Amino acid sequence: MKKNVISIMGPTAVGKTNLSIEIAKKFNGEVISGDSMQVYKGLDIGTAKIKPSEMQGITHHMLDIREADQEFSVSDFKENVQKYINDITARGNLPIIVGGSGLYIQAALYDYNFSEAKRDHTITNKMEEIIESEGIMPLYNRLVEIDPEQAEKIHPNNHRRVIRALEIYESTGMTMTAYKENQSMESPYKPILLGLDMERELLYRRINERVDHMMKDGLLDEVKNLYAKGYENCQSMNAIGYKEFIPYFKNEQSLEETIELLKRNSRRYAKRQLTWFRNKMDLTWFHMTPATIDKQFANILDELAGILK
């Protein structure tokens, strides 16, 4: 029989972490972070990484497994998540994936194969020559033009990933995003996909408030520490909550402008997340409000009790 795997998705600041704890307590679960930036040590406040004091005794995985200057690809994500799913179910417990981008979650739950597209070294060599003579930006701008969704996930200085995304397009005629979408949607698991949503104005207010809380908790010092270590061009520093501060450190914008930019980028990301989840994945949606959140959590637990019995 296929293993049950719960995945809780939705925009930032909607209540996914609290729901995961409640599900884990009731159904003997263990939590797997679906946020590919929470794998990095030292990226705590800006990624809203759960604190040990908030875990309520629930085991959490995929936190602090990479140094901030290391890469972490979607293939790495898939491999690690599937390993934890197997380990958790082997102990007789329920795996609960919390958060993450739609593509990354799909890759893990539907076993995407990222090695099928063969390498074309002629194309690769040509692009490497362009980088050597003109720099990376002509290629990166090309990627932004043909596949903006993938470009957003890749730092311009990550030459290998930029080249790979363009190579797939040149050799198959499909963007990396489309290539991933067209893979089989048959899952080796029994995914239970839960989506949390919230009225847009309330969600945006919660996101703004979350950024203010992050600043009070020391986000500026956290990012400054990473920047001082020379991580400016690392994949980890391309995350929302970190990249916005680099112009501030270079005296190109004020702190007030930086905070407003972070809030705006967070709101826009939440909007893109919701669009993706609604268009690309078959989630069971639950609408959250401050007045009904406890009732909705109870409804979710009741529904899961029927599914998991």
Side-chain angles (χ1 to χ4, degrees), residues 101-104 106 112 140-155 161 165 175-181 238 243 269 272-277 279-281:
S101 74
L103 261 179
Y104 275 60
Q106 282 184 328
Y112 285 1
Y140 186 76
N141 290 336
R142 171 70 171 151
L143 182 60
V144 171
E145 179 184 336
I146 65 169
D147 191 359
E149 193 167 325
Q150 188 64 25
E152 187 173 338
K153 298 180 175 67
I154 302 175
H155 193 282
R161 291 186 67 198
T175 64
M176 177 76 87
T177 299
Y179 177 76
K180 293 171 181 176
E181 290 175 0
N238 198 40
K243 62 184 179 182
Y269 181 60
R272 290 196 302 272
Q273 282 182 305
L274 280 168
T275 300
W276 171 274
F277 294 137
N279 293 341
K280 308 289 187 182
M281 303 187 76

Side-chain angles (χ1 to χ4, degrees), residues 100-283:
S101 74
L103 261 179
Y104 275 60
I105 300 302
Q106 282 184 328
L109 291 181
Y110 297 95
D111 202 25
Y112 285 1
N113 186 344
F114 295 97
S115 61
E116 288 179 356
K118 295 181 179 178
R119 305 307 304 252
D120 187 327
H121 293 291
T122 303
I123 296 174
T124 301
N125 292 338
K126 183 178 179 181
M127 286 190 280
E128 288 176 345
E129 290 174 2
I130 292 174
I131 292 174
E132 189 170 340
S133 62
E134 303 177 44
I136 187 63
M137 290 316 295
L139 294 182
Y140 186 76
N141 290 336
R142 171 70 171 151
L143 182 60
V144 171
E145 179 184 336
I146 65 169
D147 191 359
E149 193 167 325
Q150 188 64 25
E152 187 173 338
K153 298 180 175 67
I154 302 175
H155 193 282
N157 287 344
N158 194 330
H159 296 183
R160 180 181 61 81
R161 291 186 67 198
V162 172
I163 289 174
R164 181 57 173 154
L166 288 172
E167 182 186 39
I168 286 179
Y169 178 74
E170 297 293 342
S171 59
T172 68
M174 298 175 65
T175 64
M176 177 76 87
T177 299
Y179 177 76
K180 293 171 181 176
E181 290 175 0
N182 278 274
Q183 297 202 52
S184 171
M185 290 300 286
E186 177 67 25
S187 177
Y189 311 109
K190 183 182 175 184
I192 301 168
L193 308 179
L194 307 177
L196 304 188
D197 193 6
M198 185 175 284
E199 190 270 328
R200 192 63 54 89
E201 185 176 340
L202 174 60
L203 177 63
Y204 286 175
R205 186 164 68 246
R206 285 169 65 97
I207 289 172
N208 291 341
E209 291 171 352
R210 171 177 277 194
V211 170
D212 290 335
H213 286 306
M214 287 178 173
M215 291 302 296
K216 291 177 182 177
D217 287 344
L219 177 59
L220 179 60
D221 288 337
E222 177 173 281
V223 186
K224 188 181 295 183
N225 180 54
L226 296 167
Y227 183 76
K229 290 180 178 179
Y231 294 159
E232 174 185 349
N233 295 321
C234 294
Q235 180 182 350
S236 60
M237 286 287 279
N238 198 40
I240 292 174
Y242 297 86
K243 62 184 179 182
E244 290 83 5
F245 287 89
I246 293 176
Y248 168 67
F249 296 144
K250 295 181 175 180
N251 296 315
E252 296 171 357
Q253 68 188 21
S254 69
L255 183 58
E256 291 75 17
E257 290 171 327
T258 300
I259 294 170
E260 287 307 309
L261 179 63
L262 173 51
K263 290 178 179 179
R264 188 197 71 183
N265 287 349
S266 298
R267 295 192 302 267
R268 288 181 175 178
Y269 181 60
K271 183 178 179 180
R272 290 196 302 272
Q273 282 182 305
L274 280 168
T275 300
W276 171 274
F277 294 137
R278 292 193 184 284
N279 293 341
K280 308 289 187 182
M281 303 187 76
D282 186 19
L283 277 62

